[in-house]
Amino acid sequence: MPTYRKWFYPYISRYDPCPPLTPVAYETPVQLYLGFQPPGMQQFSPVQALSRGTLWVGLYTPYTNPYLKTNEGT
């Protein structure tokens, strides 16, 4: 199963004017891992599709902030 969120560590110079944000997160689109659209792919209703930004359930990935700390497990 592919992971849609990737992380990288940018080069940090001692001459940077601002403290860097490390590591940096970015998200890859689901279409990169889908290939051809399979026939009969499940669809959202028109109202749900407008609110989610896609018609197909398989292409929907909700955004979660990777920099928020959660208190899970404590």
Side-chain angles (χ1 to χ4, degrees), residues 11-42:
Y11 173 75
I12 301 170
S13 170
R14 60 183 170 167
Y15 301 113
D16 285 340
C18 300
L21 179 66
T22 58
V24 177
Y26 66 97
E27 297 200 14
T28 54
V30 180
Q31 305 89 290
L32 292 176
Y33 309 103
L34 185 61
F36 289 103
Q37 179 179 335
M41 196 169 175
Q42 185 180 3

Side-chain angles (χ1 to χ4, degrees), residues 3 10 17 51 69:
T3 57
S51 68
K69 302 281 186 196

Side-chain angles (χ1 to χ4, degrees), residues 4 6 10 14 17 19-20 22 24 35-36 39 42 52 65 67 73-74:
Y4 303 114
K6 311 281 191 230
R14 60 183 170 167
T22 58
V24 177
F36 289 103
Q42 185 180 3
R52 289 177 170 88
N65 190 341
Y67 300 109
T74 58

Side-chain angles (χ1 to χ4, degrees), residues 10 17 21 46 49 51 59-60 70-71 74:
L21 179 66
S51 68
L59 295 179
Y60 175 65
T70 59
N71 293 332
T74 58

